[in-house]
Amino acid sequence: MDLSVVICGEAGQGIQTIEYLFPNILKSHGLNVFSYKEYMSRVRGGSNSTLIRISDKPVRAFCKKTDILFSLSPGDVHLLRLLERIDDNTFVFIDSNSETKFNTKARIKKVPISSLALEAGNKLYSNSVVLGMLCGLLKLPFENVLVAIEKWFCNKGTKVCEENKKAVKLGYDYVYKNIEMNIETKIETNPSVKDHILMSGAEAVSLGALAGGCNFVSSYPMSPSTGVLTNLANHSRDFDIIVEQAEDEISAINMALGAWYSGARALVTTSGGGFALMVEALSLAGMIESPIVIHLAQRPGPATGLPTRTEQADLLFALFSGHGEFERVIFSPGNLEQAFFCTMKAFDIADKYQVPVFVLTDQYLMDMIYNFDKLGEIKSFSDYIVETAPDYKRYQFTENGISPRGIPSHGNGLVCVDSDEHDEYGRITEDFTIRNKMVEKRLRKLKNFSDEIPAEFIGNKDFTHLVICFGSTREIVLEASKDFENLAVLHLQQLYPLPSNLSKYLNRAKKVLLVESNATSQLGKLLKMEFGFSDFKTLNKYNGLPFYVEEIKDTLQKFMKGEI
């Protein structure tokens, strides 16, 4: 069974507290859970909502279906924004004191959210009342609820903790005594889920960076990438990481390059506008052949755009940014496990090939949360730094274009780097022959780049129709496509260089559909550029929300019938 719950209200009303506590309570009860929040770019007010899916099976995708909806605010503004997700099967709970002109077939139930909060001690406890009501509707053991509440509020003082516990209990008891719904809310539990990991995308990228040996991060906060910076800051003392909030993005990336030069493994985490400021230093990384890992969490642009929403429109920006010609690698993980391993691998690839490596995520991946069993084997990372000799040449010509990388004070050699064209020792030159050899050396690095992450094929091996996606659309596409015969999914986590096994699937498919969260099919343009392949249909979404499972499923039905 799969139950979808949506909580909506204004920023500042405590939806985030429910978003944290409710999934943890559900997991502790042995239920699988997925949550995703969509929110406006403001500290107070606006209209925000969080989807929480609950199931006896793993759930990992955003959906339109809403079984239960709670509104924390009076009036219809939030309900109208969610109108396309409400139907005659939805139970809508609003405050008893709220007047509504909401005209829908949804079953509206008025419940005393604000009055119970006042009875507990403060109207601000409305979110705790709603949390209690949700747990009561699902008949979750109240002792589990109480444990979570005490843990969350214990450091906010005895009065606040006790009054929130009272608010939760009042909400819980109210629905037990007064609410009857004609839907099945009893979901079969699985005891093993209690021991699962519950993680967000920002946490997955942060922990992947730690596993990859990251010991220096410098960034300027920018949604939706900031979660990675704050998570690493929280772990900085435990893992001996230097975390620097720079004065701007230009300083941040130059600090990271300096850190790599001195032997650290550095990360910058940013979003489109912030990365735009980093582009000059990206070219510097190309010229001095410095490794660097750039976490680029996409949001809708151009300029400020929709700063708290999601999109996949920076793929070509990441690929073509920077002046001059130099190599780079772009990864784009499709779920939390991939976000961990992909980020971990990014450090190894950057260090091995001495090139910039992008981890391309988006707001949807950053803010999603779900439970999973375990991450799998974590391998120790390699050390590519060499001890320098007195005649050390930082840019020594080699067959594969990769020179031994030394760092200052590790050996007797001089580690000379320069943003100007240089000779093998790193000293400035305008010798035309050396210039040609240096350009060719830098472009030779990825000639033999093995497919570190091959294209992931999922589905019927005798497929006729193929859906191709990249990054965070993976789980949504997989759920939408699971009931179609002769249909397979190809997910690309390695976007550049494109994996070589991609071509065999393109050649076998009779029809291809690309699913992308952008307006111009940037992956399609890349396929055409790299493989000369352009015989595909497209499904694009770019309003700031992720795809719903249902809308991809509707498109797949037309795709299989030949209607698109």
Side-chain angles (χ1 to χ4, degrees):
M1 181 174 177
D2 183 348
L3 193 68
S4 297
V5 176
V6 173
I7 306 106
C8 63
E10 301 173 9
Q13 288 188 307
I15 295 177
Q16 197 168 3
T17 300
I18 302 175
E19 182 192 335
Y20 174 81
L21 288 173
F22 195 38
N24 275 280
I25 293 168
L26 293 165
K27 187 182 83 73
S28 69
H29 189 58
L31 295 168
N32 292 285
V33 62
F34 166 90
S35 80
Y36 168 71
K37 59 183 175 187
E38 58 87 19
Y39 55 102
M40 290 183 170
S41 176
R42 58 192 69 182
V43 178
R44 289 286 186 274
S47 181
N48 305 336
S49 72
T50 291
L51 164 72
I52 298 174
R53 290 182 68 183
I54 310 154
S55 177
D56 52 0
K57 299 177 182 176
V59 279
R60 298 180 165 195
F62 188 56
C63 69
K64 181 187 289 185
K65 179 180 79 112
T66 301
D67 298 306
I68 298 171
L69 188 152
F70 271 90
S71 177
L72 279 166
S73 299
D76 296 334
V77 60
H78 307 303
L79 302 181
L80 290 172
R81 280 182 63 85
L82 296 169
L83 191 58
E84 69 169 358
R85 297 164 64 181
I86 299 172
D87 60 25
D88 53 6
N89 295 313
T90 305
F91 283 88
V92 176
F93 291 85
I94 60 174
D95 188 58
S96 300
N97 298 324
S98 177
E99 293 297 327
T100 179
K101 298 177 182 178
F102 193 51
N103 184 18
T104 175
K105 293 180 180 178
R107 289 166 280 191
I108 295 178
K109 291 181 178 293
K110 289 193 173 185
V111 287
I113 297 172
S114 58
S115 59
L116 290 179
L118 285 170
E119 184 179 339
N122 195 315
K123 190 178 179 180
L124 291 175
Y125 303 147
S126 293
N127 60 338
S128 292
V129 171
V130 168
L131 177 63
M133 289 180 171
L134 286 168
C135 294
L137 286 174
L138 297 179
K139 298 178 175 54
L140 302 178
F142 190 71
E143 56 269 22
N144 289 358
V145 182
L146 207 55
V147 168
I149 293 293
E150 288 179 337
K151 187 176 180 181
W152 180 258
F153 289 105
C154 65
N155 61 353
K156 299 183 186 299
T158 303
K159 182 175 183 292
V160 172
C161 183
E162 292 302 317
E163 289 180 347
N164 273 283
K165 285 161 61 177
K166 183 178 180 181
V168 171
K169 186 73 166 70
L170 287 170
Y172 189 93
D173 289 345
Y174 180 86
V175 297
Y176 242 107
K177 296 174 183 174
N178 299 287
I179 301 297
E180 290 288 338
M181 297 196 305
N182 297 323
I183 61 171
E184 179 58 63
T185 55
K186 180 68 176 176
I187 304 173
E188 189 174 343
T189 60
N190 179 353
S192 68
V193 172
K194 298 178 183 178
D195 298 322
H196 278 192
I197 300 167
L198 188 63
M199 185 183 288
S200 71
E203 290 173 315
V205 170
S206 306
L207 295 175
L210 288 176
C214 176
N215 51 16
F216 185 97
V217 55
S218 55
S219 288
Y220 186 79
M222 190 171 196
S223 297
S225 69
T226 308
V228 173
L229 180 64
T230 54
N231 271 297
L232 287 171
N234 289 335
H235 292 299
S236 60
R237 293 186 178 179
D238 300 327
F239 294 93
D240 198 19
I241 317 166
I242 296 175
V243 179
E244 176 68 19
Q245 179 179 320
E247 62 267 37
D248 57 38
E249 286 85 353
I250 298 171
S251 297
I253 190 169
N254 281 303
M255 287 181 188
L257 291 176
W260 276 101
Y261 171 73
S262 58
R265 285 193 158 198
L267 168 77
V268 292
T269 176
T270 188
S271 297
F275 176 62
L277 293 171
M278 295 181 174
V279 168
E280 184 181 12
L282 180 74
S283 291
L284 175 61
M287 176 55 92
I288 64 175
E289 303 187 37
S290 172
I292 188 166
V293 177
I294 300 169
H295 171 236
L296 177 53
Q298 299 166 99
R299 67 188 206 186
T304 307
L306 297 173
T308 59
R309 305 291 176 176
T310 197
E311 201 164 75
Q312 294 180 307
D314 290 340
L315 165 58
L316 296 183
F317 179 34
L319 179 59
F320 295 115
S321 54
H323 52 291
E325 298 171 305
F326 57 96
E327 297 287 16
R328 69 200 66 193
V329 173
I330 303 175
F331 293 141
S332 187
N335 57 29
L336 302 189
E337 297 94 320
Q338 289 185 359
F340 176 88
F341 284 107
C342 185
T343 308
M344 182 178 76
K345 182 181 281 291
F347 283 87
D348 194 63
I349 297 299
D351 206 349
K352 180 178 179 180
Y353 292 92
Q354 301 173 28
V355 295
V357 177
F358 290 86
V359 179
L360 197 63
T361 67
D362 52 45
Q363 182 267 332
Y364 175 58
L365 183 66
M366 283 293 93
D367 288 332
M368 72 165 64
I369 296 171
Y370 65 75
N371 63 286
F372 57 89
D373 186 8
K374 54 187 177 183
L375 281 168
E377 184 181 2
I378 301 172
K379 298 180 180 177
S380 57
F381 53 85
S382 302
D383 183 4
Y384 297 97
I385 294 173
V386 300
E387 185 173 348
T388 59
D391 60 345
Y392 173 68
K393 298 176 181 177
R394 172 64 186 92
Y395 302 107
Q396 180 182 340
F397 292 123
T398 61
E399 187 175 347
N400 62 9
I402 303 169
S403 309
R405 188 168 75 92
I407 60 174
S409 302
H410 185 56
N412 298 318
L414 174 64
V415 183
C416 182
V417 300
D418 200 298
S419 65
D420 288 66
E421 192 55 274
H422 40 253
D423 62 15
E424 289 181 278
Y425 290 98
R427 298 191 178 94
I428 294 174
T429 181
E430 295 200 21
D431 184 294
F432 300 131
T433 302
I434 293 178
R435 162 65 182 177
N436 278 346
K437 291 180 71 173
M438 278 295 168
V439 170
E440 291 158 7
K441 165 189 165 2
R442 289 191 287 268
L443 295 179
R444 216 163 42 234
K445 290 182 178 182
L446 298 185
K447 290 293 184 186
N448 297 315
F449 187 81
S450 58
D451 292 338
E452 293 287 345
I453 307 178
E456 181 186 16
F457 178 84
I458 308 135
N460 185 351
K461 294 181 180 178
D462 299 320
F463 69 96
T464 56
H465 293 60
L466 185 65
V467 182
I468 302 178
C469 58
F470 73 95
S472 67
T473 54
R474 179 185 187 275
E475 299 295 334
I476 307 172
V477 171
L478 287 181
E479 181 170 336
S481 63
K482 63 183 180 182
D483 295 328
F484 292 93
E485 293 185 4
N486 302 322
L487 178 68
V489 175
L490 198 65
H491 177 256
L492 301 181
Q493 194 178 168
Q494 181 179 303
L495 290 173
Y496 196 82
L498 282 169
S500 59
N501 69 333
L502 174 60
S503 58
K504 72 176 182 182
Y505 297 112
L506 293 178
N507 293 334
R508 284 179 52 192
K510 292 183 179 177
K511 290 191 175 181
V512 174
L513 175 69
L514 302 187
V515 177
E516 300 186 51
S517 291
N518 57 51
T520 57
S521 296
Q522 297 192 10
L523 176 60
K525 291 179 178 177
L526 185 56
L527 291 178
K528 186 175 182 180
M529 183 181 76
E530 294 290 305
F531 290 98
F533 181 80
S534 59
D535 186 16
F536 51 76
K537 305 295 182 182
T538 59
L539 173 61
N540 303 87
K541 186 171 184 177
Y542 41 88
N543 67 352
L545 285 173
F547 282 104
Y548 298 119
V549 170
E550 291 90 339
E551 64 186 323
I552 292 183
K553 194 170 184 176
D554 289 345
T555 302
L556 291 180
Q557 287 174 342
K558 296 174 183 175
F559 177 56
M560 297 302 289
K561 292 177 182 176
E563 296 176 358
I564 59 171

